Amino acid sequence: SSGINAEYGTVLKDLMSEQLIYYSMAVHSLTAAITCPFSMFIIKHFGAKISLIVGSICCLFFYLSVIVPNSMVIFVTQSIFGFGLALVRPASLKFLVHNSSPSSMGKDTGIHWGWFMSSMIWGNTITLLLTNRTSDLDSLRMMVYSILGSLSLLGTLCYVFLRPPASSTASFDNERAPLLDGMKEDLTPSSFASLVKETFDLVTLKQTLWLIPSMLAAGFYFTMYCVEIPTMIGENLLLFGCMVGVGELIGSILLGRLITIFGYVLVTILAGCLAIISLLLTYMTIPGTGGNTDPPTIALTIAVAIAYGVSDAGNNTALSTIIGRLFSERSEVIFCVMSCVMNLAAMTWYFVYTVVAWETIIVVTAVAVLMSMIGIFIVVRPK
């Protein structure tokens, strides 16, 4: 999904107003947020594999909104797409937790986020190559999304071959040493009402509350580098998307290994500092901020994009690893909460982007990043 957002507005710009494009994306974020309780129930009862298959099939409906660019079709398919996202992200992270030991979870999470977000490289590269071959937007739209849709379908079919780990996660019990003590694991399926109660109990824990700023920062940050900034940098839009993907891929794999070696605090500080730098560069160089009127140079575009990618990768990798260690078998609940908060943050930016000053968006995002650093430090600090 991340691989198609950066060029989404460009491909549809002659068919829909900019505001309507943002509203359609807000719809999928809102749907992803409000359906999280149902996705949580599905993941807990049917497992990660079934949830990944069902969620991915729902995400495939997104392509109808581009191939058949009718306002009603767009909003309906974006809603289905949102429900798919509410299943795919938590289920994939839950599957990751079940296939990782604590000693390898940082590295494994980094690889997961790196490949997940590398879709920005493939999506934008394909669009860039095809854009150079045709100037007909209708033809471009059909070619781009037919190829991306086929790749997505292939990825969905791959989920059919997922298998549980060769040895049960029970073999990791002695090594796990979760950060959160005093909570008994309950692997039995829950009714929806008991699952809601369990979610409330987990969300109101002090550790979870301190992680919420990281979830908000991830949602704010995602909309900035994936949609809002690309629409403002002119002809370098697709290059920006590709370079964010490069930053995500390199940052996730590298910082995931650093988590294993040095722990969460160093990675969180590195990611937070890069995030602040990228926001400052945005203010100084992006048209519409700081009195700028000219698009940034190619070199500056690449620098800003890679900074966004690496910092986002660090935050997502650290946050996901902490949740996997902290909540162990209950991780799907908090991963769903994480998805809900991220999508609510994204939805807010989509709705207000056209009416709120860029300076306000940058300042609020910077505050969320700083609170994210503080929250993760408090959660993982030695007792």
Side-chain angles (χ1 to χ4, degrees), residues 2 89 92-93 96 106-119 218 222 225 245 248-249 251-253 312-321 335 338 342:
S2 53
R89 279 188 176 174
S92 62
L93 291 168
L96 174 72
K107 178 192 65 163
D108 295 344
T109 305
I111 293 171
H112 166 83
W113 277 112
W115 284 111
F116 181 77
M117 297 304 295
S118 71
S119 57
F222 175 82
Y225 73 71
E248 291 274 3
L249 182 59
S252 294
I253 295 174
D312 183 63
N315 183 63
N316 284 333
T317 301
L319 179 60
S320 301
T321 306
F335 283 136
M338 171 181 162
M342 287 174 62

Side-chain angles (χ1 to χ4, degrees), residues 53-259:
I53 294 172
V54 173
S56 296
I57 291 172
C58 291
C59 289
L60 290 174
F61 278 88
F62 171 87
Y63 297 100
L64 287 177
S65 70
V66 183
I67 294 174
V68 187
N70 172 278
S71 295
M72 180 61 70
V73 173
I74 287 172
F75 282 103
V76 171
T77 54
Q78 286 281 19
S79 298
I80 300 172
F81 177 43
F83 176 65
L85 283 182
L87 279 172
V88 169
R89 279 188 176 174
S92 62
L93 291 168
K94 174 67 174 178
F95 189 84
L96 174 72
V97 169
H98 270 255
N99 284 272
S100 299
S101 67
S103 60
S104 68
M105 196 174 294
K107 178 192 65 163
D108 295 344
T109 305
I111 293 171
H112 166 83
W113 277 112
W115 284 111
F116 181 77
M117 297 304 295
S118 71
S119 57
M120 292 195 69
I121 302 175
W122 325 130
N124 287 287
T125 299
I126 289 170
T127 306
L128 185 61
L129 292 174
L130 293 176
T131 300
N132 293 331
R133 298 183 59 180
T134 178
S135 58
D136 181 10
L137 278 179
D138 286 334
S139 175
L140 174 65
R141 187 174 69 250
M142 291 299 294
M143 284 193 295
V144 167
Y145 288 99
S146 294
I147 294 172
L148 295 181
S150 299
L151 292 174
S152 298
L153 179 60
L154 180 63
T156 300
L157 293 175
C158 289
Y159 285 138
V160 175
F161 301 100
L162 287 178
R163 293 289 181 270
S167 59
S168 169
T169 53
S171 62
F172 298 141
D173 284 349
N174 293 331
E175 187 188 357
R176 235 170 235 225
L179 299 172
L180 185 64
D181 296 323
M183 291 198 72
K184 214 172 166 187
E185 302 288 5
D186 179 13
L187 307 183
T188 57
S190 306
S191 67
F192 188 78
S194 62
L195 189 57
V196 170
K197 182 182 182 304
E198 178 186 7
T199 303
F200 179 80
D201 292 339
L202 289 173
V203 169
T204 52
L205 289 171
K206 180 177 66 176
Q207 291 89 342
T208 310
L209 294 175
W210 277 115
L211 291 176
I212 286 178
S214 291
M215 303 174 190
L216 285 171
F220 290 149
Y221 214 58
F222 175 82
T223 59
M224 290 188 69
Y225 73 71
C226 211
V227 180
E228 292 167 359
I229 292 176
T231 62
M232 301 181 68
I233 60 177
E235 61 184 15
N236 294 332
L237 180 154
L238 296 173
L239 175 64
F240 182 89
C242 289
M243 290 300 104
V244 170
V246 170
E248 291 274 3
L249 182 59
I250 295 173
S252 294
I253 295 174
L254 176 61
L255 296 179
R257 290 187 176 276
L258 288 180
I259 286 176

